[in-house]
C-alpha cells in the first residue's frame, strides 16, 4: 500500500476541501484531537476561517500493541470501551492501562487548556478532527464529550479510517467526513509518508498561530 498523504498538513487540506460549506460560519468551531489531530485541525480552521481549539482525549491501547485501542478517556471522566477488544484483556490489564493513561490525560489537559477558556459548545456545530480512525475508540470518546458540552451538531473528520470504525461512528455523529476507507486497513501510519509523533511544541505552535 503506497502512502496517500505526504503528511498531516496535506491531509488537513484534503479535509478542508470537503468541509467548505462550513466556511466563515459564526456557529462553527474546529477541535483537534490531541495530539495527532491538532496540526491538521489548524489547517482546517484556517482555511474555513473559524475558531480552533483542542480536545484532550487519550487512547487506551492494548499492552502489546498500543496503537490498537480498546477504549479511550476524555475530560470530565468520560470513558469509552470497545467491547470487542476489551473483552480479550484481563481486568487488571485494563485497570493498569487506564490508570496510566488517566495520569497522562490530566497532564495534557493541564498543558493545553490551562490558559484557555473552558470549551463552550452549546448550540455550535463542532468539527472534530483526528489523523485517522482505526478502532474509532478515541473518536467515540471525543464525540461523547462534544455532545455532553452541548454541541448542536457534531461533524467528525479524518483523512483515513477503517470500514468498521467508520460504520460505527457514522451512527453516532451528524456527519462523518472520511475520504479514504480501505478494507485492508492495517495502521493509520500506512497512509502517511511522514507520520511522526506530534510534540507538545507543535500543538502549542498550532494554537498560537490560530489565535
Amino acid at each position: 500500500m503506497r502512502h496517500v498523504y505526504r503528511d498531516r498538513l496535506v491531509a488537513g487540506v484534503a479535509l478542508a476541501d470537503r468541509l467548505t460549506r462550513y466556511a466563515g460560519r459564526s456557529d462553527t468551531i474546529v477541535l483537534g484531537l490531541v495530539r495527532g489531530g491538532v496540526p491538521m485541525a489548524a489547517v482546517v480552521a484556517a482555511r474555513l476561517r473559524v475558531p480552533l481549539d483542542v480536545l484532550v482525549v487519550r487512547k487506551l491501547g492494548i499492552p502489546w500493541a498500543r496503537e490498537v485501542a480498546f477504549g479511550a478517556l476524555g475530560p470530565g471522566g468520560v470513558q469509552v470501551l470497545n467491547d470487542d477488544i476489551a473483552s480479550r484483556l484481563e481486568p487488571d490489564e485494563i485497570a493498569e492501562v487506564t490508570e496510566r493513561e488517566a495520569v497522562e490525560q490530566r497532564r495534557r489537559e493541564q498543558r493545553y487548556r490551562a490558559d484557555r477558556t473552558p470549551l463552550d459548545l452549546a448550540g455550535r456545530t463542532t468539527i472534530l478532527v483526528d489523523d485517522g480512525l482505526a478502532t474509532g475508540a478515541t473518536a467515540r470518546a471525543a464525540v461523547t464529550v462534544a455532545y455532553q458540552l452541548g454541541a448542536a451538531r457534531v461533524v467528525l473528520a479524518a483523512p483515513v479510517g477503517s470500514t468498521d470504525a467508520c460504520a460505527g461512528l457514522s451512527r453516532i455523529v451528524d456527519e462523518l467526513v472520511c475520504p479514504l476507507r480501505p478494507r485492508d486497513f492495517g495502521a493509520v501510519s500506512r497512509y502517511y509518508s511522514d507520520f511522526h509523533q506530534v510534540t507538545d511544541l507543535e500543538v502549542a505552535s498550532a494554537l498560537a498561530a490560530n489565535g
Side-chain angles (χ1 to χ4, degrees), residues 23-40:
R25 285 179 43 169
S26 60
D27 67 338
T28 298
I29 185 171
V30 173
L31 299 184
L33 272 60
V34 171
R35 286 182 297 195
V38 177
M40 62 180 58

Side-chain angles (χ1 to χ4, degrees), residues 53 55 128 161:
D53 212 318
L55 185 59
L128 301 173

Side-chain angles (χ1 to χ4, degrees), residues 12 23-24 47 93-94 127 180:
R47 292 176 75 92
E93 291 177 315
I94 292 176
I127 302 175
L180 185 63

